[in-house]
Amino acid sequence: MLVTLVLESRDNNDSWNAEGFKLDVELEGKLSSTVLQQLDDAAGDVSGLAVKCLAPLAKKVREQQILEMTNSLCDKLLNGKEQHRDIASIALKTIVSEVPSSSAARNVLVSISPKLIKGSLLR
């Protein structure tokens, strides 16, 4: 699959950081989904590379896609398998720190904060 091949290339971060790099809505969704799936990979180098891909990806996708990604990571963090929680928290931190606009950052925080607070109270 094309998206998997894109993830396997170490040149992705450079490509995604390029000024003219644009994603259409369909590719944005597929790429985001695949990167999030790769976080669950048993091989540490695959999940580590996926985390590295999140920073430039967060700068290139629409706000709605960022919200979907952060909500998915929040669910993995709170409800996922124990071994996936660490990588989910690192991935969530990576995206939150790279959100390109203050309005998007505010919307992300409004979306995930109640879930994280509720999750921390239940533990």
Side-chain angles (χ1 to χ4, degrees):
M1 169 179 236
L2 173 63
V3 177
T4 305
L5 292 174
V6 169
L7 279 176
E8 292 174 352
S9 169
R10 290 209 170 263
D11 296 330
N12 285 334
N13 288 333
D14 294 335
S15 299
W16 293 357
N17 284 321
E19 192 67 33
F21 184 78
K22 300 272 189 217
L23 292 169
D24 64 28
V25 174
E26 183 180 344
L27 183 58
E28 185 179 285
K30 287 180 182 178
L31 196 53
S32 298
S33 175
T34 301
V35 171
L36 292 179
Q37 287 174 359
Q38 297 301 316
L39 292 172
D40 294 337
D41 196 283
D45 56 338
V46 173
S47 58
L49 182 57
V51 169
K52 287 181 182 179
C53 290
L54 286 172
L57 185 61
K59 294 176 185 175
K60 297 293 183 178
V61 298
R62 297 169 298 117
E63 181 179 330
Q64 183 58 39
Q65 191 64 48
I66 292 172
L67 287 169
E68 289 175 21
M69 291 167 59
T70 54
N71 283 322
S72 174
L73 288 168
C74 208
D75 288 340
K76 282 184 183 194
L77 180 60
L78 298 173
N79 305 314
K81 295 179 182 177
E82 185 76 30
Q83 67 265 26
H84 298 292
R85 289 184 184 151
D86 285 345
I87 198 75
S89 66
I90 294 167
L92 186 59
K93 176 194 161 287
T94 299
I95 293 176
V96 169
S97 67
E98 295 296 333
V99 174
S101 72
S102 59
S103 67
R106 182 175 44 255
N107 290 337
V108 166
L109 293 176
V110 165
S111 175
I112 66 173
S113 293
K115 293 176 187 176
L116 293 174
I117 291 169
K118 182 180 176 185
S120 68
L121 294 175
L122 296 176
R123 299 236 180 247

